[in-house]
Amino acid sequence: MQIRFGYEIVYQCPQPTPMILTLHAHYSRASDLIRPDLLCVDPPVPMTMYRDGFGNWCSRIVAPAGRIRLTADGLIRDHGRTEPVLLNAQQHPVEQLPQETLVFLLGSRYCETDLLMGAAWQLFGNTPPGWARVQAVCDFVNRHIVFGYQFARPTKTAFEAFNERQGVCRDYAHLAITFCRCLNIPARYCTAYLGDIGVPPVDAPMDFAGSMEVFLGGAWHPFDPRNNQPRIGRILIARGRDAADVAITTTYGQHTLESFRVWTDEVPATVPGVLGVSGSSFATMSGSL
């Protein structure tokens, strides 16, 4: 299958404003790209790219005073299968974990393991370790939090989401990540494109999706506590300890988000050997990223 994916983000800046943009498809999907999701900036400005400490592709610009438009439109090849469920994937004793996973056991900006340690063991201490325990965490978080964009808050932490019982996908992910870390399961935050491929369409604006990966059975595996089911066509953008490490845009100065659009559509092949492009329905949403 082929998936068309991209975004259009428009800012107004009262003065020149440095920005770091983490918007490119993850390097692990580079060989799948048919048309790269090249970042286009209007008006054009100098741009540099680098890989951050987690391996994510980042772009640096200085947005000029006034209106600036960021956009990309890529095409990627996907296997079209649902994400795997590996019920036999075992949890590792901490002393046997690879060194590079240990940072994902620690508390972080949005994931307060010290505040949720007791709740984690009370809720999940009697569940079978491994895949079943992580799924129990996702089941609980999915039931516990009520979804709504009106509940979004850029400062909301896992502990606050646990107590308020409302939030958006990043809050689901932060709470599940925190519980997993409390239970000695390495867990990391992920941002991605996630369209309605293989599921009933949702009557809501398209957005980037926050989820998590956990380390079981010697490998990292995706879990999505917000949707709580394996999905088709997730396009990874970035990984980190929590949302602070993988912010879509980080701005160093006053700015206003004027518009925000994201699209992720399966592209049907209308004629054998000829690429057919589907018509996309783009929804516009304003608010804080």
Side-chain angles (χ1 to χ4, degrees):
M1 120 181 348
Q2 296 177 356
I3 301 172
R4 180 186 178 190
F5 66 103
Y7 56 84
E8 180 190 58
I9 306 172
V10 179
Y11 286 107
Q12 287 280 352
C13 300
Q15 61 189 25
T17 303
M19 292 185 174
I20 297 175
L21 313 170
T22 310
L23 288 163
H24 296 280
H26 196 259
Y27 73 87
S28 60
R29 299 300 304 269
S31 62
D32 297 324
L33 290 170
I34 301 168
R35 182 177 67 237
D37 55 330
L38 299 177
L39 171 59
C40 298
V41 182
D42 182 25
V45 297
M47 182 189 311
T48 57
M49 293 188 66
Y50 69 97
R51 293 269 292 276
D52 68 12
F54 299 98
N56 307 311
W57 278 113
C58 303
S59 301
R60 296 181 67 182
I61 65 170
V62 176
R67 184 178 188 270
I68 186 168
R69 177 175 175 265
L70 312 172
T71 189
D73 189 31
L75 188 66
I76 195 167
R77 185 180 298 105
D78 191 85
H79 54 59
R81 299 187 296 273
T82 56
E83 294 162 331
V85 175
L86 304 175
L87 299 177
N88 294 324
Q90 297 298 307
Q91 181 173 338
H92 298 264
V94 172
E95 64 272 19
Q96 295 179 15
L97 285 168
Q99 294 180 13
E100 63 271 15
T101 69
L102 296 178
V103 67
F104 299 107
L105 289 177
L106 304 178
S108 56
R109 165 70 178 84
Y110 292 106
C111 299
E112 311 105 315
T113 52
D114 52 342
L115 298 180
L116 286 167
M117 186 70 69
W121 283 100
Q122 181 180 5
L123 289 166
F124 310 109
N126 293 325
T127 59
W131 193 278
R133 178 167 286 177
V134 177
Q135 188 58 59
V137 168
C138 291
D139 292 343
F140 172 85
V141 171
N142 182 266
R143 295 191 305 266
H144 187 76
I145 296 179
V146 174
F147 181 87
Y149 285 111
Q150 69 272 27
F151 305 134
R153 187 171 72 244
T155 59
K156 184 182 289 186
T157 66
F159 185 68
E160 292 170 333
F162 177 68
N163 289 309
E164 296 174 18
R165 304 188 64 168
Q166 56 192 23
V168 292
C169 59
R170 64 178 254 161
D171 302 309
Y172 288 74
H174 283 150
L175 182 55
I177 287 167
T178 306
F179 280 146
C180 286
R181 292 177 183 174
C182 289
L183 299 165
N184 298 327
I185 302 170
R188 60 192 183 188
Y189 187 93
C190 301
T191 55
Y193 293 89
L194 183 62
D196 299 324
I197 299 174
V199 298
V202 176
D203 185 19
M206 182 69 71
D207 197 355
F208 295 108
S211 62
M212 69 174 184
E213 293 176 344
V214 302
F215 191 82
L216 296 171
W220 289 97
H221 305 280
F223 281 83
D224 187 344
R226 160 67 178 104
N227 296 294
N228 204 26
Q229 67 179 102
R231 297 291 293 269
I232 298 172
R234 193 185 306 269
I235 304 171
L236 181 67
I237 297 173
R239 300 175 173 127
R241 292 166 298 184
D242 57 33
D245 290 332
V246 298
I248 296 300
T249 61
T250 303
T251 57
Y252 296 87
Q254 186 179 358
H255 64 281
T256 301
L257 179 63
E258 183 177 288
S259 68
F260 175 61
R261 300 191 297 158
V262 178
W263 52 91
T264 311
D265 297 293
E266 181 181 356
V267 177
T270 55
V271 179
V274 177
L275 176 66
V277 179
S278 65
S280 301
S281 178
F282 302 154
T284 301
M285 180 183 73
S286 296
S288 298
L289 289 178

